[in-house]
């Protein structure tokens, strides 16, 4: 599995530029990560300060430097403001697998931005990072994320009971997966 990325890769789609997030993006990130609706299923409290956003950016840097993930800022072409993020975490190179996640500003929900970003990131994972399996962990009540990932060809494999402890309680999570062979056999991405 290839995990040595010489410089941060930029991904371009029809409407989006997925790029490295910098400290200059903290303010735009705080705007959407402070929204309770955006944060509802992320296992985190809504952000309260620029320091919270800078902490998120620091986490993006740490997963990249530890080779356990990569996270892109989502921007609309022609606008450099970060409106969300998408990428991989919990990458296990030895087993050629990773987990995918996404967040998006509420004003961009329902217009295909999330699908477009995820499709591009999936392609990057399979064909640049050479992973064989991409997983998504989704709360049972997060119907929009379930629909989003099912639309990309992900298959729900089961329920992970009390899998995470967040916000003072245990959360059940559905585990979804997409295999490289599913895509090559005519899957979505």
């Amino acid at each position: 599995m290839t995990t040595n990325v010489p410089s941060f890769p930029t991904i371009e789609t029809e409407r989006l530029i997925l790029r490295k997030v910098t400290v200059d993006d903290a303010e735009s990130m705080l705007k959407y990560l402070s929204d309770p609706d955006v944060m509802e299923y992320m296992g985190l409290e809504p952000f309260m300060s620029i320091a919270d956003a800078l902490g998120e950016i620091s986490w993006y840097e740490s997963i990249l430097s530890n080779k356990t993930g990569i996270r892109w800022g989502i921007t609309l072409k022609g606008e450099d403001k970060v409106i969300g993020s998408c990428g991989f975490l919990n990458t296990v190179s030895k087993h050629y697998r990773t987990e995918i996640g996404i967040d998006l500003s509420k004003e961009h929900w329902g217009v295909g931005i999330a699908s477009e970003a995820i499709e591009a990131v999936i392609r990057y994972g399979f064909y640049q990072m050479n992973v064989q399996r991409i997983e998504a962990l989704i709360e049972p009540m997060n119907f929009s994320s379930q629909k989003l990932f099912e639309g990309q060809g992900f298959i729900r494999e089961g329920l992970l009971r009390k899998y995470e402890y967040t916000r003072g309680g245990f959360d059940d999570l559905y585990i979804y997966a997409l295999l490289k062979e599913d895509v090559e056999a005519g899957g979505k991405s």
Side-chain angles (χ1 to χ4, degrees):
M1 181 169 148
T2 307
T3 55
N4 292 338
V5 180
S7 63
F8 196 93
T10 299
I11 301 173
E12 187 173 333
T13 69
E14 184 180 336
R15 297 181 291 172
L16 308 174
I17 301 287
L18 306 179
R19 63 162 175 82
K20 183 175 182 146
V21 174
T22 71
V23 294
D24 294 336
D25 298 310
E27 197 169 311
S28 61
M29 290 175 65
L30 176 60
K31 184 176 180 217
Y32 67 86
L33 293 174
S34 63
D35 183 331
D37 292 336
V38 171
M39 300 301 280
E40 183 174 7
Y41 298 112
M42 289 181 57
L44 300 169
E45 293 294 334
F47 286 16
M48 304 294 282
S49 67
I50 288 291
D52 292 338
L54 290 170
E56 184 76 356
I57 294 167
S58 179
W59 177 69
Y60 297 172
E61 289 291 329
S62 73
I63 62 172
L64 184 65
S65 65
N66 293 330
K67 296 184 171 74
T68 59
I70 184 171
R71 193 85 173 194
W72 288 268
I74 301 169
T75 66
L76 298 172
K77 280 187 177 172
E79 301 175 30
D80 198 38
K81 183 179 89 165
V82 172
I83 60 169
S85 72
C86 185
F88 300 119
L89 63 152
N90 298 326
T91 301
V92 183
S93 299
K94 173 181 171 183
H95 297 298
Y96 295 83
R97 74 170 179 255
T98 193
E99 182 183 327
I100 194 168
I102 187 166
D103 51 61
L104 187 63
S105 173
K106 190 165 49 180
E107 60 257 29
H108 295 94
W109 289 3
V111 294
I113 299 290
S115 292
E116 192 171 326
I118 283 176
E119 186 173 336
V121 168
I122 288 169
R123 214 175 306 110
Y124 185 89
F126 285 142
Y127 300 108
Q128 304 303 313
M129 294 171 56
N130 197 32
V131 298
Q132 295 300 305
R133 176 184 171 90
I134 300 174
E135 299 172 343
L137 300 178
I138 304 171
E139 289 188 24
M141 297 304 293
N142 191 346
F143 302 116
S144 59
S145 283
Q146 292 172 44
K147 182 179 176 187
L148 173 66
F149 283 95
E150 288 168 359
Q152 294 294 327
F154 280 71
I155 296 176
R156 185 189 309 170
E157 295 182 331
L159 178 69
L160 302 170
R161 299 180 307 144
K162 299 195 183 304
Y163 190 75
E164 285 185 340
Y165 185 80
T166 62
R167 295 200 241 184
F170 290 98
D171 295 326
D172 294 340
L173 295 172
Y174 285 134
I175 184 165
Y176 280 81
L178 181 67
L179 305 179
K180 187 175 186 180
E181 62 200 47
D182 296 338
V183 172
E184 291 174 345
K188 175 82 169 112
S189 289

